[in-house]
Amino acid sequence: MNQTDVLVVGGSAAGIVAAATAKSFHPDKRVMLVRREKQVLVPCGIPYMFGTLENSDKNVIPDANLENAGVELVVSEVDAFDPEQQICTFSDGSQIGFEKLVLATGSVPIKPGWLNGLDFDNVFIVPKSKRYLDSQMSTLAGCRKVVVIGGGFIGVELADEIAANGRQVSIVELQPHVLSLAFDDELCTRAEKVLTRRGVELKCGQRVVRIEGSDRADGVKLDSGEVIDADAVILSVGYRPNSDLARQAGLKCNEMGFIKVNEYMRTEYKNIFAVGDCAEKFSFITRTLKGTMLASTSGAEARIAGMNLYQLSTVRTFQGTISIFCTAIGQNAFGAAGVTEKLAAERGFAIVTGLFEGVDSHPATLPDARPQLVKLIASMDSGTLLGGEVAGGKSAGELTNLIGFLIQNRMTVDGILTSQIGTHPLLTASPTAYPLIKAAEAIAKKRKTVLA
Amino acid sequence: MNQTDVLVVGGSAAGIVAAATAKSFHPDKRVMLVRREKQVLVPCGIPYMFGTLENSDKNVIPDANLENAGVELVVSEVDAFDPEQQICTFSDGSQIGFEKLVLATGSVPIKPGWLNGLDFDNVFIVPKSKRYLDSQMSTLAGCRKVVVIGGGFIGVELADEIAANGRQVSIVELQPHVLSLAFDDELCTRAEKVLTRRGVELKCGQRVVRIEGSDRADGVKLDSGEVIDADAVILSVGYRPNSDLARQAGLKCNEMGFIKVNEYMRTEYKNIFAVGDCAEKFSFITRTLKGTMLASTSGAEARIAGMNLYQLSTVRTFQGTISIFCTAIGQNAFGAAGVTEKLAAERGFAIVTGLFEGVDSHPATLPDARPQLVKLIASMDSGTLLGGEVAGGKSAGELTNLIGFLIQNRMTVDGILTSQIGTHPLLTASPTAYPLIKAAEAIAKKRKTVLA
């Protein structure tokens, strides 16, 4: 029987990062990554294959990354593993022994049981499979009217990319706003304005009742009675953790279906770790279980597992997800980290918020200057930053990451106000009206009044 | 005699921020800002008036900011102030009493005493005066050959903007590289390549001996004997703190000419504060005196003074400058925070560095993808981040600010590696090759080897 030191199951972002980190920190160990797919797609690039990137070939993660890192790649399906014997069995019957196992089996699109038509030729989900998506794109090429069910960020990005190709696209979203899990209403409505301007029709606060048609969808019926014509339907209503393999091996999963792990990303088995969409996570802020599936969280978990495989380090632990992410609709970027005002209030935090809208370069007379809005959410008692949201031009992505670090460092608004921010006419807001600082100032003023 | 609660002297970034913060945190106080200039220019926008912005009118800080903040604006010259009596005298002889005084008198361009020709009609410095710069721009309009003496960021930005208008522009820099105070050589040479490609001629490691011509400059002579033809010369060799007013009032200045202040930005007089280019500062990392003149530092100092005027707060203090700044040459941005490798070694730190070059969007096949390089400098003993440098597209500005917060939070490479970073195809590098993380990983690996 073949034997490896480290076996990583799963070839998407979490698996790649876990394997590369394992090899980087343990160069003497044999690190093997096994995955099902011949070619792996950049997950967050998937919506952009439908427009900007033009095809899926441009969205393949190069295997050279793994090769250069010294990770062995095996394309095969894992049928089962024995956590006690530390043996993994492939679908062709072959086996491999492992010293350490990292499960990075990801997630699969949810197919709601109550909805008909999921087997229709022109009704699609959004899995990470190149073959499936290639076929989906070729069908879509002949479609004029597309309905996207679900206005989370994947639904929104997909809809916008498809609409850019001159199609009539509608998003149906159950919540009152698109992107409402990620952002507070001020930002959702901005995103909605951009989408509408770019030709995407929004049907928010509406429930899909059924997909019309007999063996091909020709419309989507809403609970209002309205039927939206469609010659293709895309379902983007979330993902569930792909923890079947782990569960079959007897590993514990939580009530949301995620593989249970501790802060070292270790399962109940000392030599078995789980990372990414399949691994249990809790919130950095609220400390409750979360269903977050984001590369930001996966990446940190994967690095932490990779570093802790052979020796635990108390300074290399996962402290909970801040659900940090960013998205773009054309030149308009939106990002969020930590909790929204909505969620913080719901969980019972006494909070105070600050919001400032400025421009992302200065003076505002510069040709590329775009509005930039920052909203911060802090705790009333300590002034600690609990969340932040950004809308702006493309720099909003890294600005969101900056806010992520403020949260992860548990900075207070005082800490922010006394910090130094570099500014430049072409690159950032001005030193006198940097939205992050002005939002923090608004919070400090409110706290001063309340605490006085 | 007129009386105000808070008097701020100086109308550039530091003065504006100090006054606005003072009013924001002490809404019941009368806050007055006195400045010499009718119109104040965005300081870091000055180089861009010479090209991108087309004229100085587009680079004026709107006074509406002060009005909206509730700050009274007085355009006048301050002749003197009495720190004991707390009275300020204007050049027209009128006086005003103050409860608190904030000196934000800025800096003035250095005119080297050994250099001839400074009185020539076509030899310029770069002050923050709209009138002076308007006249300079009108002279430059008729010039074909311009020599910029000094390759710091103002010299570089100016040269690039002037060259973009079809002129032949040379930079003469004494150091082996342009921008060498801000960046390590890897980044300097990248900036040099960009400048050269954009048509700026570089003369590095060369000393200016004299300006040729009798009452108009017609060339610049170098110590190599070479004479560069010029029909205009711009001198950008640094600034000195404008602390004359303070010194005349008997306030202590340090050996570099800066007004002495403590961590609350307070001078030796309880009711007198100094902020910005005129105020003493020391390094956050090396703890030695610094001559830093950047809006990033000024802004933090001004906020801190504004908040501490009437009541000191131990959590609102200035912890030393991280000299954070960013610049752009066309679409190429460069940023730095903390110490360079060069400076850290010079000061005696045992350091370890990590460098990674990737792309600033992903997959790299995206139309706007640009190279992105991150270099990190950490202490060998603790892994604490001491400095960072970024070269990339426009997102490099906020990425530099992100690094600034890592440094100001005294994060270690372990802290960085376990952190969550949001990524998006159009906005950031990929989750598997985010240059900041990969640079941190390189440092962690080196430390592991050394400490093993």
Side-chain angles (χ1 to χ4, degrees):
Chain A
M1 190 178 64
N2 208 341
Q3 178 76 22
T4 184
D5 295 324
V6 178
L7 181 65
V8 177
V9 182
S12 193
I16 294 171
V17 172
T21 308
K23 186 68 188 173
S24 173
F25 281 79
H26 311 94
D28 301 337
K29 300 292 182 181
R30 183 178 180 192
V31 178
M32 188 182 282
L33 182 147
V34 55
R35 72 174 191 223
R36 203 166 35 198
E37 307 79 10
K38 271 205 186 113
Q39 289 185 297
V40 175
L41 296 173
V42 177
C44 37
I46 289 174
Y48 299 96
M49 299 177 345
F50 290 78
T52 310
L53 285 171
E54 294 166 355
N55 62 57
S56 67
D57 291 330
K58 286 194 183 157
N59 193 43
V60 171
I61 305 183
D63 286 335
N65 293 349
L66 291 174
E67 282 161 34
N68 295 340
V71 174
E72 294 171 46
L73 173 63
V74 175
V75 177
S76 179
E77 188 136 11
V78 173
D79 250 16
F81 67 90
D82 182 327
E84 303 284 355
Q85 302 297 317
Q86 303 193 178
I87 292 171
C88 181
T89 307
F90 297 113
S91 52
D92 65 1
S94 67
Q95 292 193 313
I96 190 165
F98 57 81
E99 214 169 61
K100 308 286 175 181
L101 178 69
V102 181
L103 298 167
T105 46
S107 54
V108 288
I110 291 172
K111 296 183 184 181
W114 54 265
L115 188 63
N116 73 309
L118 297 183
D119 52 338
F120 290 176
D121 276 355
N122 60 346
V123 175
F124 301 101
I125 49 174
V126 190
K128 294 179 192 169
S129 154
K130 187 170 188 295
R131 203 153 49 160
Y132 180 97
L133 293 167
D134 279 342
S135 138
Q136 176 176 355
M137 285 192 287
S138 96
T139 305
L140 281 176
C143 296
R144 301 299 310 155
K145 296 177 179 181
V146 181
V147 175
V148 176
I149 302 176
F153 71 91
I154 295 172
V156 163
E157 291 175 354
L158 253 175
D160 183 63
E161 285 283 310
I162 293 171
N165 280 337
R167 294 193 197 84
Q168 191 177 318
V169 180
S170 310
I171 296 176
V172 184
E173 167 59 46
L174 190 60
Q175 300 295 321
H177 293 290
V178 297
L179 300 172
S180 63
L181 285 182
F183 299 107
D184 283 316
D185 292 355
E186 303 95 317
L187 277 95
C188 294
T189 52
R190 287 172 80 97
E192 287 168 355
K193 271 186 204 151
V194 176
L195 283 167
T196 306
R197 203 173 62 221
R198 289 166 65 87
V200 177
E201 187 190 35
L202 301 179
K203 301 277 183 183
C204 292
Q206 307 225 40
R207 186 184 296 273
V208 170
V209 179
R210 56 173 278 114
I211 293 178
E212 303 285 346
S214 42
D215 48 86
R216 273 185 69 81
D218 53 32
V220 172
K221 186 170 185 180
L222 309 183
D223 56 356
S224 64
E226 183 186 358
V227 175
I228 314 174
D229 288 348
D231 37 29
V233 175
I234 301 174
L235 213 70
S236 174
V237 297
Y239 291 76
R240 63 168 181 80
N242 184 16
S243 48
D244 298 352
L245 191 66
R247 194 178 286 106
Q248 281 154 25
L251 269 68
K252 288 200 187 86
C253 292
N254 72 20
E255 66 257 41
M256 298 170 82
F258 295 84
I259 304 167
K260 283 186 80 71
V261 290
N262 65 17
E263 293 183 16
Y264 302 97
M265 306 313 298
R266 217 186 213 175
T267 67
E268 75 237 64
Y269 290 91
K270 188 178 167 183
N271 295 317
I272 303 180
F273 296 72
V275 298
D277 289 359
C278 66
E280 177 177 57
K281 53 212 90 225
F282 54 95
S283 161
F284 183 87
I285 301 287
T286 70
R287 313 312 290 172
T288 51
L289 278 182
K290 290 283 279 188
T292 307
M293 294 184 185
L294 290 167
S296 55
T297 301
S298 291
E301 291 174 345
R303 287 190 295 275
I304 289 162
M307 295 189 289
N308 281 301
L309 287 175
Y310 284 90
Q311 197 174 41
L312 298 190
S313 159
T314 55
V315 294
R316 292 173 174 170
T317 61
F318 188 70
Q319 297 297 305
T321 176
I322 59 164
S323 300
I324 184 168
F325 105 106
C326 50
T327 184
I329 311 170
Q331 298 295 312
N332 309 275
F334 298 85
V339 295
T340 57
E341 179 177 4
K342 234 168 359 197
L343 182 65
E346 210 175 288
R347 289 283 188 277
F349 287 92
I351 51 167
V352 49
T353 68
L355 186 149
F356 187 87
E357 182 163 359
V359 276
D360 71 354
S361 40
H362 69 284
T365 50
L366 274 168
D368 289 342
R370 300 182 73 86
Q372 183 184 79
L373 176 150
V374 172
K375 175 174 178 172
L376 298 179
I377 298 104
S379 71
M380 179 56 88
D381 57 350
S382 61
T384 306
L385 192 66
L386 304 179
E389 299 167 50
V390 183
K394 290 195 169 182
S395 63
E398 298 298 0
L399 182 53
T400 303
N401 281 330
L402 184 161
I403 292 174
F405 274 106
L406 306 183
I407 296 169
Q408 290 174 103
N409 279 295
R410 302 193 189 282
M411 279 194 92
T412 63
V413 287
D414 284 324
I416 297 168
L417 287 174
T418 56
S419 289
Q420 296 154 62
I421 307 275
T423 53
H424 185 273
L426 307 183
L427 306 177
T428 71
S430 88
T432 58
Y434 190 77
L436 173 78
I437 291 288
K438 299 302 279 185
E441 189 183 309
I443 292 178
K445 274 184 70 171
K446 288 185 193 170
R447 287 188 73 233
K448 198 168 183 252
T449 312
V450 171
L451 302 176
Chain B
M1 190 178 62
N2 209 341
Q3 178 75 23
T4 185
D5 295 323
V6 179
L7 180 66
V8 177
V9 183
S12 194
I16 294 171
V17 172
T21 308
K23 187 68 188 174
S24 173
F25 281 78
H26 311 94
D28 301 337
K29 300 292 181 180
R30 183 179 180 191
V31 178
M32 189 182 282
L33 182 147
V34 55
R35 72 175 190 223
R36 205 166 33 198
E37 307 79 12
K38 268 203 187 117
Q39 289 186 296
V40 174
L41 295 174
V42 177
C44 38
I46 290 173
Y48 298 95
M49 298 176 348
F50 290 78
T52 310
L53 285 172
E54 294 165 355
N55 61 57
S56 67
D57 291 330
K58 286 194 183 157
N59 193 43
V60 171
I61 305 183
D63 286 335
N65 292 349
L66 290 174
E67 282 162 34
N68 296 341
V71 174
E72 292 171 46
L73 173 63
V74 175
V75 177
S76 179
E77 188 135 11
V78 173
D79 250 15
F81 66 90
D82 183 327
E84 304 283 356
Q85 301 297 317
Q86 303 193 175
I87 293 171
C88 182
T89 306
F90 296 114
S91 52
D92 66 0
S94 67
Q95 292 193 312
I96 190 165
F98 57 82
E99 214 168 59
K100 308 286 175 181
L101 178 69
V102 181
L103 298 168
T105 46
S107 54
V108 288
I110 292 173
K111 296 183 184 181
W114 54 266
L115 188 63
N116 72 309
L118 298 182
D119 52 338
F120 290 175
D121 276 354
N122 60 345
V123 174
F124 301 101
I125 50 174
V126 190
K128 294 179 192 167
S129 154
K130 187 170 187 295
R131 201 151 51 157
Y132 180 98
L133 294 168
D134 280 343
S135 141
Q136 175 175 355
M137 285 192 286
S138 96
T139 304
L140 281 175
C143 297
R144 301 299 309 154
K145 296 176 178 181
V146 181
V147 175
V148 176
I149 302 176
F153 71 90
I154 296 172
V156 162
E157 290 174 353
L158 252 177
D160 183 62
E161 286 283 309
I162 294 171
N165 280 338
R167 295 194 196 83
Q168 191 178 316
V169 180
S170 310
I171 297 176
V172 184
E173 167 59 46
L174 190 60
Q175 300 294 322
H177 293 291
V178 298
L179 301 172
S180 63
L181 285 181
F183 298 107
D184 283 315
D185 292 356
E186 304 95 317
L187 277 95
C188 295
T189 53
R190 287 171 80 98
E192 287 167 354
K193 271 186 203 149
V194 175
L195 284 167
T196 307
R197 202 173 64 220
R198 290 167 65 87
V200 177
E201 186 189 37
L202 301 178
K203 301 278 182 184
C204 292
Q206 308 226 39
R207 185 185 296 274
V208 170
V209 178
R210 56 173 278 113
I211 294 179
E212 302 285 347
S214 43
D215 48 83
R216 273 184 69 81
D218 53 32
V220 171
K221 186 170 186 178
L222 309 182
D223 56 355
S224 64
E226 183 186 359
V227 174
I228 314 174
D229 288 349
D231 38 29
V233 175
I234 301 174
L235 213 69
S236 174
V237 296
Y239 292 75
R240 63 169 182 79
N242 184 16
S243 48
D244 298 352
L245 191 67
R247 194 178 287 107
Q248 281 155 23
L251 268 67
K252 287 202 188 86
C253 292
N254 72 19
E255 66 258 41
M256 298 170 81
F258 294 84
I259 304 167
K260 283 187 80 70
V261 290
N262 65 17
E263 294 184 15
Y264 302 97
M265 305 313 297
R266 216 186 215 176
T267 68
E268 76 237 64
Y269 289 92
K270 187 178 168 185
N271 294 318
I272 302 180
F273 295 73
V275 297
D277 290 359
C278 66
E280 176 177 58
K281 52 211 91 225
F282 54 95
S283 162
F284 183 86
I285 301 287
T286 70
R287 312 312 290 173
T288 52
L289 278 183
K290 289 284 278 188
T292 307
M293 293 184 184
L294 290 167
S296 55
T297 300
S298 291
E301 291 174 345
R303 288 190 295 275
I304 290 163
M307 294 189 288
N308 281 300
L309 287 174
Y310 284 90
Q311 198 173 39
L312 298 191
S313 159
T314 54
V315 295
R316 293 172 174 171
T317 61
F318 188 69
Q319 298 295 307
T321 176
I322 59 165
S323 301
I324 185 168
F325 105 106
C326 50
T327 183
I329 312 170
Q331 298 294 312
N332 309 276
F334 298 85
V339 294
T340 56
E341 180 178 4
K342 236 169 355 197
L343 182 65
E346 210 175 287
R347 289 284 189 276
F349 288 92
I351 52 166
V352 48
T353 67
L355 186 149
F356 187 86
E357 182 163 0
V359 275
D360 70 355
S361 40
H362 68 283
T365 49
L366 274 168
D368 289 340
R370 301 182 72 86
Q372 184 184 79
L373 176 150
V374 173
K375 175 175 178 172
L376 298 178
I377 298 104
S379 71
M380 179 56 88
D381 57 350
S382 61
T384 306
L385 193 66
L386 304 179
E389 300 167 48
V390 183
K394 290 197 169 182
S395 62
E398 298 299 1
L399 183 52
T400 302
N401 281 330
L402 184 161
I403 292 174
F405 274 105
L406 305 183
I407 296 169
Q408 290 175 104
N409 279 294
R410 302 193 189 282
M411 279 193 93
T412 63
V413 286
D414 284 325
I416 297 168
L417 287 175
T418 57
S419 289
Q420 297 154 63
I421 307 274
T423 52
H424 185 272
L426 308 183
L427 306 177
T428 71
S430 88
T432 58
Y434 189 76
L436 174 78
I437 291 288
K438 300 302 280 184
E441 190 183 308
I443 292 178
K445 274 184 72 170
K446 288 186 194 171
R447 286 188 72 233
K448 196 167 183 253
T449 312
V450 171
L451 302 175

